[in-house]
Amino acid sequence: MKPKIAIACQGGGSQTAFTAGVLKALFENKVQDYFNIVSLSGTSGGAICAFLIWYSLKKGDEIIWKRMIDFWQDNSAQTYQERFFNDFVIKSLEWVSKGLLPQYALSPYSPAAKIWFSFATQGLRSRFTDLKELLETHIDFSELKTWGPQLEAPILVLGSCNIITGKLHKFVSRLESIKVEHLLASACVPNIFPAVSIEEMAYWDGLFSDNPPIRSLIRPKFVGLENIPQEIWVIKINPTATDKIPEKPDDIADRRNEVEGNVSLFQSLDQVELINDLFLRNAFKDEFLAETELREPIKIPKSFADDPDRDYYIPMIEMSKELADSLNYESKLDRCPESLKRLIDDGEKQGKLFLETRLRQLDLR
């Protein structure tokens, strides 16, 4: 029987093109022939990558990763005007971070912000500036609506934050039809986009909740008893460690963003680690284990473990150090084709290496 796995995709804006590269490598190398993918989760850009793979799996696409890569190519700055706009925005933000330009706090709701955006984006493709249109170009959401809740694996879990209730929120394919608004909510950076309203509630970026959703992947009420994974693979965007203490304003901002992006991930993994420890110490009654279909500890990333000798840890899939060191906070908004290609290429390299290593460890190849 093939091991059951869940793939969780951390958010990080344009840097999640790395995630697209990882997922491409996994499916290009036939991960589904060796593993039973029972669920996918994601936040923000990670949610979009997870969704596009989930949709292709459900549709039975011949090339599972093609729809996702097509999305990223369409999302890149293609024309001269788009490249100029992209480079101007990124360079301006970098100068602000370095203290070379004053910072103006504008709400995405303000008339001034709307006028500037309308003027600055003249002549650009509408789907380059409108994420909803871009998503609808690649996905038939009217068809998705007719599917209804999807009880069969893989299950999709998208992280978001309900800003009215102040609580974490998950959009789960097993419980409802996935809508374009769910993806927009998970990717709604509040200082860039207005909150996404869904049924009298309003949502912000999933980075404020679970980045990415982990705990939901092991809870039967979200994924179903039959879809509890044996392993959780995390495609991670934000580096855990750094080589030096940041001192410059832009370096401080970069490091703060990285640390904040990892907080919920490490908290979630800590809870899974606690469950595993209790499991190994026979703390659960047999009737409880029978109800939850738990037979062995859930494998989580080795880089998080305090004790590397525990047998239920596997590596995270992370960027090469060279690539991670070259990125800054502003690059999470950079849609330059060369930058996105570099991220995708590194993702492919790391994803292929990860899969080859895991197959050897399990004697599956």
Side-chain angles (χ1 to χ4, degrees), residues 3 100 345:
L100 301 177
D345 287 349

Side-chain angles (χ1 to χ4, degrees), residues 109-164:
Y109 296 90
S110 72
K114 293 177 181 178
I115 292 172
W116 178 88
F117 186 77
S118 177
F119 173 78
T121 57
Q122 288 182 5
L124 308 186
R125 290 176 300 137
S126 56
R127 64 177 182 268
F128 180 72
T129 60
D130 185 341
L131 179 57
K132 182 174 186 288
E133 181 178 334
L134 177 63
L135 287 165
E136 290 175 337
T137 299
H138 294 269
I139 299 294
D140 185 353
F141 284 94
S142 61
E143 178 197 23
L144 251 180
K145 186 177 181 180
T146 67
W147 290 8
Q150 295 291 293
L151 302 181
E152 302 296 324
I155 307 299
L156 179 68
V157 181
L158 306 177
S160 187
C161 176
N162 187 322
I163 61 173
I164 302 299

Side-chain angles (χ1 to χ4, degrees), residues 317-344:
I317 312 176
E318 298 188 74
M319 295 178 189
S320 64
K321 189 176 186 305
E322 179 185 10
L323 177 60
D325 288 346
S326 71
L327 301 175
N328 57 18
Y329 171 71
E330 288 74 25
S331 66
K332 291 187 174 182
L333 300 175
D334 188 1
R335 291 189 279 169
C336 167
E338 291 78 15
S339 175
L340 296 181
K341 183 179 185 304
R342 194 159 61 105
L343 287 157
I344 290 173

